Amino acid sequence: MNTQVELFDNKVENDISIEPKDWMPDAYRKTLIRQIGQHGHSEVVGMLPEGNWITRAPTLKRKAVLLAKVQDEAGHGLYLYSAAETLGADRDDMMEKLIAGRMKYSSIFNYPTLTWADIAAIGWLVDGAAIVNQVALCRTSYGPYARAMVRICKEESFHQRQGFEAMMVLANGTPEQKAMAQDAVDRFWWPALMMFGPNDDNSPNSAASMAWKIKLFSNDELRQKFVNNTVPQVLQLGLTIPDKDLTFNEETGNYEFGEINWDEFFAVIAGKGPCNHERIEARRKAWEDGKWVRDSAAVYAQKQQVNAQK
Ligand code: ACO
């Protein structure tokens, strides 16, 4: 007779997904709640820098596309919160932890969107980086997380293409538009690389997450993949990458890049980035303003239950 631990280990080893009712080690559950919860928060906080430009999009078409993209991100947040709930997490608790600074969200969303080109850069670079990470997560060991990722990746892939297209228009536009596109690349390039997390030798959660197949590739492997995918795109746009150390290694086929400013990364995830305060305040306000909606929905659900029992 196999023990619960053996059954779990066998499933992970044989790439059979772990489902909500299966036995799982407490630490596996805890790590997933942490990662999925933070991932959900990133989607929701990620609506803020882009939402900032909905009223200022340059054309009606761009406005409609941006509005749809921001709504997609809300949907991603909801799938992810639902996936975390299948592990026993409580959505209100996750929200309260986010607002209290006890749960993280992606570092990238603590940078401001100063121009329209930043919106193009977010679609192209930020969603592009997110896809590299999320495509790998489509095969993660926890079933509900993996399945949420499949749909999310399809939508992110559309976001990435629309971002590239918006960037292409700017890069081929007037000298001022091209300069705006370059400025956005200059400001978002390094923060996009930081999205993949600390280097592998400084990533405390990686060993366990890789053994459990929550993570299938390391932070550095995914970062390298993103750089390899994206450098040719930057060159195609006729723009430059703000990294004087960037070189192509013929032997490995990799673009080797300079040192990431890890002091900046750790300051941002510790709450000291340019927009951390503003982002959390916006979430706090939305949470407080939405209380009457949550309360009404709860009363309605209760009434429905009573009616169903009559
Ligand atoms: N922003 C904020 N925090 C980060 C980031 C980042 N870019 N990268 C790492 N961290 C945090 C980790 O959450 C961890 O903190 P914690 O232990 O308090 O949770 C700490 O830094 C150390 O990092 P790791 O040990 O490498 O953490 P982990 O194994 O969780 O790997 C990673 C980090 C790669 C981000 C992983 O959690 C992951 O793949 N998450 C799912 C993808 C995701 O969240 N994407 C969000 C952005 S994309 C988007 O929403 C559009």
Side-chain angles (χ1 to χ4, degrees), residues 119-185:
I119 299 303
I122 288 183
W124 165 46
L125 294 176
V126 173
D127 289 30
I131 293 169
V132 169
N133 172 286
Q134 291 173 168
V135 163
L137 287 172
C138 291
R139 290 187 294 115
T140 191
S141 57
Y142 187 58
Y145 192 21
R147 290 189 288 274
M149 281 301 120
V150 173
R151 176 153 180 192
I152 290 178
C153 281
K154 287 186 183 153
E155 294 179 354
E156 295 289 15
S157 149
F158 169 74
H159 297 168
Q160 194 266 350
R161 282 157 212 224
Q162 70 81 32
F164 184 79
E165 192 269 339
M167 203 56 151
M168 202 163 62
V169 169
L170 293 174
N172 292 304
T174 62
E176 288 81 3
Q177 285 172 323
K178 186 165 183 185
M180 197 163 81
Q182 182 63 59
D183 175 56
V185 172

Side-chain angles (χ1 to χ4, degrees), residues 299-310:
V299 171
Y300 180 73
Q302 229 167 14
K303 277 191 187 161
Q304 294 285 95
Q305 227 170 13
V306 172
N307 287 344
Q309 283 161 2
K310 275 183 189 164

Side-chain angles (χ1 to χ4, degrees), residues 5 56 75 95 100 105 172 216 260 262 292:
V5 179
R56 293 179 286 164
M95 286 299 173
Y105 57 91
N172 292 304
L216 298 172
I260 290 173
W262 292 115
W292 71 270

Side-chain angles (χ1 to χ4, degrees), residues 38 46 52 102 104 106 113 140 149 209:
Q38 291 181 172
N52 187 31
R102 288 191 290 123
K104 295 188 172 80
S106 183
T113 41
T140 191
M149 281 301 120
S209 288

Side-chain angles (χ1 to χ4, degrees), residues 14-15 29 60 65 72 76 107 111 124 127 166-167 172 186 202 210 218 221 227 231-233 237-238 258 266 281 301:
N14 294 303
D15 298 326
R29 186 185 297 277
L60 189 57
V65 171
D72 285 352
H76 299 173
S107 48
Y111 293 87
W124 165 46
D127 289 30
M167 203 56 151
N172 292 304
D186 290 348
N202 198 18
M210 292 199 66
S218 76
E221 283 169 334
V227 171
V231 170
Q233 296 171 6
L237 289 170
F266 286 111
E281 275 316 300

